[in-house]
Amino acid sequence: MIGLFAVDEKGNLLARRLFQKEPTKIAEALANFASGKRFNELEGLIGELRKKGYEDVSTSQPNKATEFVRENFRKLAIELKFVKNQAELNNLLSAVGVASSKAAITKVGRRDKLIIQAVSAFNDLDRILNLMSERIREWYGLHYPEFRPAEHEKFIEAIVKYGNREKFEKFTTSMGMQLVAEDIAILQRYAARLKELYVLRSELEKYLNALVPTEMPNMSALLGPILAARLLAQAGSLEKLAKMPSSTVQLLGAEKALFKALRTKGKEVKVPKFGILFTHPDISSAPKEQQGKIARLLAAKVSIAARTDFYTKEDRSKELIEDYRRKLEEARKAG
Amino acid sequence: MEIKEKFPGIFLIDGKLAVKNQISGWRPFGEQLIKVGSTEYRFWDPNRSKLAAAIMKGLKVVPIKEGDKILYLGIAHGFTASFISSIIGKNGIIYGVEFAPRVFNELLPVTEKAKNIVPILGDARKPETYSWVETCDVVYVDIAQPDLTEVAIRNCKAFLKRGGYLLLAIKTQSIDVTAPAKRIIDCEVEKLRAEGFEILDVRSLEPFEERHGFVVARM
C-alpha cells in the first residue's frame, strides 16, 4: 500500500521503494504485484538488491516482508513520512480501495454477462407476450369468438389490420357482442403494441443467434444458441459453468426440486433428472424411461463444451457432436 | 423514550437497535433516523444484518470498539459494515472484501460517504491478492461458502493480531442442506477450537435468519 519492502531471512529490512502518493498509481502497483507482473518499482528494488549482493530474491506470498509491513504498517507510513498522520492514511486507504475495485471491475471480461442479460430479456419477453396474448384473445373473443387461429401472432395481426369483425374477408355471422368504435380503437392500440413486442422478440433472437456462437462456439453448436444462453444464465457465468461438475449442469434450473428432494430424503418428491436441459429435443422427445439417461449423457458433453469455450474458445464442436450422436444411438438401442 | 448503551457505540432505543449517525441525515439503505436532543441515531434492522440479529438474540460480547481495524470478508452491499463504520469512528478502518463485482454498484456509494471503509474486489480464499492489508483487531466473516470456517481460519492466521477477535456468521445451508443446523454449527465451532480459538459466544439467529449461527471467538 505504501511501497515495496525487502527483508532478509531474519526479517531485517534491506531495501525499500515507496510508491507515489497517488491513489490510482498505488492501485495499479498493487494489481501488478498481486498478479506477479514486473513493474518499475519492483524492477528498481530487485536491481538494488542485486547490487548489494543478494541473488536469490523471492516475491512469492506469504513471506517475511509482508508480515513485517503488515505488523508495522501504521508506524512505517508515518516514520517514512509517507503520510502526516493516521487520518491522512485512512483517507488514502479509502481512495486506493475505490480506485482498485473500479479498475478491477472494468477489467473483468464480461461478454458472457451480455449474453446473460440478453437471454434473460428474451425469457421475460416470452412470459410477457404469453400473458398479453392470452388477454387479447379473451378480450377480442367477446366480439368475435369464432376467430381462433392457432398462432398468437396471426390473431394479433388480424386485429391490427381489420379491427371490427365485419371487415374480415371471411366474416359471415358471429355469436359475439357488437362493439362500438371506442372499444375497437383501444383493442387495436393494444394489439399494435403487442405486435411490436413480437418484432422485438425476433430481433433479440437474431441478436442472440449471432452473439452466442462467437462467445461459446461449442455450447452453441451442441445445444443451439438460445438453450446454450439459458444454461449460461442459470449458471451465472461461463467460468462457473466450466467449473461445474456435469451432474450439476444436468440439474441446472431444477434446484428447487433437487433441494426439496435432498431435504426430505426423496420421500415427498423424487430427485429430478433434468432442469432446463429438458427443452432439448433429444430429451423431451425421448421415451420417459430413457430421458434421465440421455440428460446425463448430454450434460457430460455440455460440460466439455463449456470448458472448451471458457479455456480455449476453439471450435471443436464437430468431434464433440459426432461423439455425442454415437453415444446417443447406443443409449437408444440399449433402451 | 428510553435510551440504553448496550455495547460501546451500540444503543437500544425503546428496545430497538441503533447507532449514532456519523453524517447527519445519512440513510444509505432507507433506514429510519431519530433525533434525540442534538444526537441523531440510525436504526439497525436485525432482519437485514446478522450482527444486529446476534445482538438481539442476546450476544454477550461485541468486541468492536472505537478505533478498531477490521477485516470484513463478504461485505456485500455494506449494510452491516455501515453500522460498524459508525461504531469504530474515523480512527478505525474496515477492509471490506467482496467477490461479486455486481454488488459494487451499491457498495461504492456507501464507501464514498463512510470514508473508513476500504472496498476490495477480491477472493477471501486467496488472501495473497490483498496481502497489503494491515494486521487487524477483528476479522468479521459472512461468506456463504461450504468451507467458510476454513477460509476464516486462514485469514485470521494471516491478518488477525494475537488476542484479536473473530466474528463468524455460519449459513448452515451452504455447508449441508440435509443435516440439522445445530449439529453443523457445533461442528464448525469444534474446528475453531481445534485451531486454538477461545469460543466466547455462539447464537442461533432464528427467527431473523433461518438456519444460521453466529460465533464470537478469540485467537
Side-chain angles (χ1 to χ4, degrees):
Chain A
M1 195 2 244
I2 54 179
L4 295 168
F5 296 81
V7 298
D8 65 11
E9 284 133 1
K10 288 178 193 129
N12 299 315
L13 187 60
L14 299 176
R16 60 162 194 261
R17 279 278 186 289
L18 292 188
F19 294 145
Q20 263 176 282
K21 207 166 74 186
E22 177 66 44
T24 49
K25 291 262 167 61
I26 298 174
E28 210 184 304
L30 291 176
N32 282 334
F33 188 73
S35 64
K37 242 188 257 159
R38 289 295 181 97
F39 55 104
N40 278 345
E41 285 95 337
L42 186 59
E43 293 290 355
L45 187 74
I46 292 175
E48 185 183 331
L49 288 169
R50 291 258 154 78
K51 247 183 237 158
K52 285 186 178 169
Y54 296 95
E55 284 302 322
D56 193 13
V57 182
S58 159
T59 56
S60 67
Q61 293 284 339
N63 61 38
K64 283 241 161 61
T66 314
E67 265 170 51
F68 172 81
V69 180
R70 192 172 288 157
E71 306 266 319
N72 302 295
F73 179 65
R74 289 186 181 256
K75 215 173 81 193
L76 280 173
I78 289 174
E79 275 175 10
L80 297 172
K81 298 198 166 53
F82 190 71
V83 289
K84 282 195 286 296
N85 50 39
Q86 301 284 345
E88 192 195 347
L89 182 58
N90 278 4
N91 282 339
L92 188 63
L93 275 168
S94 152
V96 169
V98 172
S100 297
S101 4
K102 278 186 180 161
I105 289 169
T106 334
K107 232 195 297 178
V108 181
R110 286 188 294 179
R111 298 291 292 177
D112 56 340
K113 302 280 174 201
L114 207 57
I115 296 180
I116 291 174
Q117 291 301 330
V119 78
S120 303
F122 185 75
N123 292 343
D124 293 345
L125 205 52
D126 259 353
R127 271 200 299 277
I128 294 165
L129 283 171
N130 246 322
L131 202 65
M132 289 179 77
S133 301
E134 296 287 341
R135 172 60 55 218
I136 201 164
R137 271 179 182 262
E138 215 180 307
W139 191 353
Y140 195 72
L142 294 174
H143 174 55
Y144 190 8
E146 291 80 6
F147 180 59
R148 279 194 308 237
E151 282 167 42
H152 287 327
E153 276 189 85
K154 282 224 176 91
F155 187 84
I156 289 151
E157 254 165 53
I159 297 175
V160 174
K161 193 169 164 198
Y162 303 116
N164 198 305
R165 66 188 176 201
E166 266 126 56
K167 294 193 183 137
F168 279 68
E169 281 147 29
K170 289 180 192 148
F171 178 75
T172 47
T173 68
S174 171
M175 58 184 191
M177 66 195 279
Q178 288 285 352
L179 291 185
V180 297
E182 289 85 30
D183 304 331
I184 295 288
I186 193 71
L187 261 163
Q188 275 189 306
R189 282 188 68 83
Y190 190 86
R193 289 291 164 277
L194 193 45
K195 197 180 148 189
E196 269 173 39
L197 287 181
Y198 271 106
V199 175
L200 180 62
R201 182 188 186 277
S202 67
E203 281 169 359
L204 256 175
E205 196 174 4
K206 231 183 269 166
Y207 171 73
L208 280 165
N209 283 338
L211 178 64
V212 178
T214 58
E215 289 302 308
M216 320 191 285
N218 296 288
M219 286 273 291
S220 177
L222 187 62
L223 300 172
I226 301 288
L227 181 53
R230 282 186 174 144
L231 266 187
L232 172 70
Q234 194 68 33
S237 75
L238 189 53
E239 179 172 4
K240 277 193 201 156
L241 189 62
K243 289 179 176 170
M244 255 174 207
S246 86
S247 53
T248 309
V249 174
Q250 186 184 340
L251 295 182
L252 274 178
E255 288 79 7
K256 204 173 156 195
L258 173 67
F259 285 112
K260 187 162 189 197
L262 288 178
R263 243 194 340 268
T264 61
K265 307 219 156 51
K267 273 175 215 143
E268 269 175 50
V269 282
K270 281 192 197 158
V271 179
K273 296 190 179 70
F274 31 69
I276 319 173
L277 266 191
F278 181 72
T279 54
H280 192 279
D282 286 346
I283 299 175
S284 52
S285 65
K288 208 163 185 336
E289 64 279 7
Q290 281 184 13
Q291 285 178 340
K293 198 176 196 177
I294 296 175
R296 182 153 32 92
L297 184 63
L298 183 58
K301 295 301 169 201
V302 171
S303 273
I304 297 172
R307 284 165 202 176
T308 318
D309 285 339
F310 179 65
Y311 291 107
T312 72
K313 243 189 205 189
E314 226 173 89
D315 188 355
R316 301 222 198 109
S317 56
K318 207 164 154 261
E319 353 165 8
L320 195 66
I321 289 174
E322 262 170 34
D323 191 31
Y324 167 66
R325 289 274 153 229
R326 205 171 50 245
K327 295 225 165 88
L328 183 65
E329 276 320 303
E330 281 169 26
R332 278 179 179 155
K333 265 185 222 144
Chain B
M1 191 184 308
E2 191 202 0
I3 303 180
K4 210 171 80 188
E5 188 159 7
K6 177 117 174 122
F7 295 103
I10 304 173
F11 300 85
L12 269 177
I13 301 175
D14 286 342
K16 284 203 273 180
L17 223 48
V19 299
K20 281 184 182 165
N21 204 0
Q22 63 220 81
I23 308 159
S24 171
W26 191 51
R27 44 203 292 262
F29 299 91
E31 314 85 309
Q32 260 190 1
L33 305 177
I34 187 169
K35 201 138 193 186
V36 183
S38 61
T39 316
E40 187 178 75
Y41 294 88
R42 185 158 66 96
F43 282 110
W44 189 3
D45 183 357
N47 290 305
R48 297 184 66 184
S49 165
K50 282 160 214 148
L51 179 56
I55 295 171
M56 291 310 279
K57 290 281 294 192
L59 204 62
K60 289 188 297 248
V61 270
V62 179
I64 298 176
K65 56 185 189 309
E66 207 276 319
D68 268 356
K69 320 283 182 280
I70 296 173
L71 174 62
Y72 192 134
L73 306 177
I75 191 166
H77 309 96
F79 184 78
T80 300
S82 75
F83 291 92
I84 298 178
S85 160
S86 299
I87 300 167
I88 61 175
K90 62 179 191 310
N91 293 323
I93 203 148
I94 301 169
Y95 296 94
V97 179
E98 175 56 46
F99 185 55
R102 173 65 190 72
V103 302
F104 276 74
N105 295 344
E106 284 96 45
L107 175 61
L108 289 179
V110 176
T111 65
E112 261 158 43
K113 293 278 183 194
K115 292 267 188 215
N116 55 2
I117 304 178
V118 183
I120 300 172
L121 177 68
D123 184 350
R125 286 208 181 87
K126 296 179 189 146
E128 64 276 10
T129 56
Y130 46 91
S131 62
W132 50 273
V133 168
E134 66 184 302
T135 303
C136 289
D137 305 294
V138 174
V139 171
Y140 186 106
V141 182
D142 183 5
I143 52 173
Q145 294 294 328
D147 57 347
L148 58 93
T149 307
E150 287 79 3
V151 171
I153 291 169
R154 215 178 313 140
N155 277 279
C156 284
K157 283 184 176 165
F159 298 104
L160 189 57
K161 73 171 187 194
R162 215 160 273 290
Y165 296 89
L166 165 67
L167 304 182
L168 178 65
I170 300 173
K171 181 179 181 184
T172 67
Q173 273 177 304
S174 293
I175 298 169
D176 187 343
V177 288
T178 62
K182 172 134 196 344
R183 199 198 302 158
I184 298 172
I185 294 169
D186 289 347
C187 171
E188 300 306 301
V189 166
E190 218 28 69
K191 287 181 195 165
L192 291 175
R193 267 207 195 96
E195 290 287 339
F197 284 85
E198 179 193 347
I199 307 299
L200 302 178
D201 206 349
V202 182
R203 298 280 150 177
S204 144
L205 297 187
E206 307 265 359
F208 300 110
E209 300 273 355
E210 266 179 44
R211 299 162 63 91
H212 276 72
F214 198 93
V215 181
V216 181
R218 182 160 52 206
M219 189 165 80

